[in-house]
Amino acid sequence: MSSQEGWSTTAPTYSSNVGRTSALSAVRLSELAHNLSPVSSTSKILDNGAGTGAVTLHLASQFPSAHILATDISASMLENISAAKLPNVATQVLDARSLSKELQPETFTHAFNTFMLQTITTPSSAIREMHTVLAPAGVIGIALWAQRNGPFEIWERACQSLDPSYTLPAPFDDPHAWRTREELERALKEVGFMGIEMEDVTMPFPFEGTKKFVEFWFGAKNPAAEKCMSNWNGDWEKVRTAVERVCREEFADGREIYTWAVLGLGRKQVDGNGDK
């Protein structure tokens, strides 16, 4: 299954599970970007790899006169944004790695990418494309899933309770996908962004009971979860029971699950004169 097909499959349930948690980082990332360069009625904002719209919907609610373009490789993901019928928000199906084929260079005052770079094998190309379409002094804001992740930990502990030799696979197609602040900071600097700011964020990812978590993990068809489960060769009924036990006993019946994120921001240079 291609990346586009995988995310299209999970789109109907994304907002109600992963989306509600990633929205917390989107809010914080938006706040930090606004502090660097205030959003106004003249702002042109790109939400690159927008998914179901965590960044777009938050910014549109806070700054309704700003102009926002939400792009994603999956049309199904963008349906949630289109359904909101926001007056200054447009959507467009685009590959994050080839924005400049469709968008004018030096157009946007702000460009965001939340939790998408880890789903592609050439994340630097996406950051480079965002740099191209940003105006001089424009602000970039990136969010990545960090190395720790509550749902992944539940799955790993459950599997290891049945098979102590079990090792969790990389949850993304690229086994070397960035998951640390050092990797993201280095990537932003290599493309040419200045004044880099980094922040770690902890996000609650609670469920209304173990049953709801199990339904999400096994039924949402989230590509990252599917990747984690791909190397389990044991009994599926037993591992499902083990997941239920770990969630119930070690994660307060699903109420104390957390995920972690890395946020990175920077500015595009102005005429080669640094970050003035």
Side-chain angles (χ1 to χ4, degrees), residues 39-276:
V39 177
S40 69
S41 60
T42 60
S43 297
K44 296 189 68 175
I45 301 168
L46 173 66
D47 187 3
N48 181 29
T52 54
V55 169
T56 292
L57 298 178
H58 171 70
L59 287 174
S61 69
Q62 298 298 306
F63 309 100
S65 59
H67 294 270
I68 305 172
L69 175 63
T71 65
D72 201 280
I73 197 171
S74 167
S76 299
M77 278 290 193
L78 294 172
E79 288 175 359
N80 190 58
I81 301 172
S82 300
K85 300 185 183 301
L86 299 168
N88 292 318
V89 174
T91 62
Q92 188 172 350
V93 176
L94 285 178
D95 189 321
R97 296 159 292 188
S98 55
L99 298 174
S100 58
K101 290 183 178 180
E102 299 288 339
L103 305 178
Q104 292 295 317
E106 300 191 347
T107 297
F108 297 93
T109 57
H110 302 75
F112 296 93
N113 185 293
T114 53
F115 307 112
M116 187 281 290
L117 290 182
Q118 292 157 309
T119 69
I120 59 178
T121 55
T122 54
S124 292
S125 63
I127 293 181
R128 194 172 296 111
E129 285 291 287
M130 294 169 74
H131 185 275
T132 298
V133 301
L134 268 173
V139 171
I140 191 172
I142 304 287
L144 299 178
W145 295 114
Q147 290 177 307
R148 288 197 65 189
N149 182 292
F152 297 169
E153 290 180 2
I154 292 174
W155 171 252
E156 184 175 40
R157 293 184 196 181
C159 291
Q160 289 178 348
S161 72
L162 300 173
D163 177 4
S165 67
Y166 176 83
T167 301
L168 186 75
F172 308 108
D173 288 340
D174 181 358
H176 305 295
W178 304 331
R179 299 184 74 182
T180 69
R181 61 189 297 155
E182 292 79 14
E183 290 170 319
L184 179 55
E185 182 174 8
R186 181 169 58 249
L188 289 170
K189 288 180 177 178
E190 287 177 351
V191 173
F193 286 102
M194 307 291 291
I196 307 298
E197 296 184 9
M198 306 296 299
E199 184 169 303
D200 299 316
V201 178
T202 301
M203 304 168 292
F205 192 6
F207 286 81
E208 296 179 357
T210 293
K211 181 180 178 181
K212 290 293 185 181
F213 173 77
V214 172
E215 289 174 353
F216 153 71
W217 183 257
F218 290 101
K221 302 300 181 183
N222 181 281
E226 295 286 300
K227 191 76 173 177
C228 287
M229 292 187 283
S230 64
N231 71 337
W232 174 249
N233 297 314
D235 187 292
W236 282 94
E237 287 301 319
K238 288 182 178 179
V239 80
R240 186 183 184 98
T241 299
V243 166
E244 293 173 351
R245 179 188 56 76
V246 171
C247 184
R248 183 175 59 253
E249 297 178 2
E250 301 181 35
F251 290 81
D253 198 28
R255 294 188 298 274
E256 294 184 5
I257 302 174
Y258 294 87
T259 59
W260 288 262
V262 175
L263 310 183
L265 301 98
R267 279 182 178 274
K268 184 175 180 176
Q269 294 186 27
V270 180
D271 299 327
N273 294 319
D275 55 350
K276 295 181 180 179

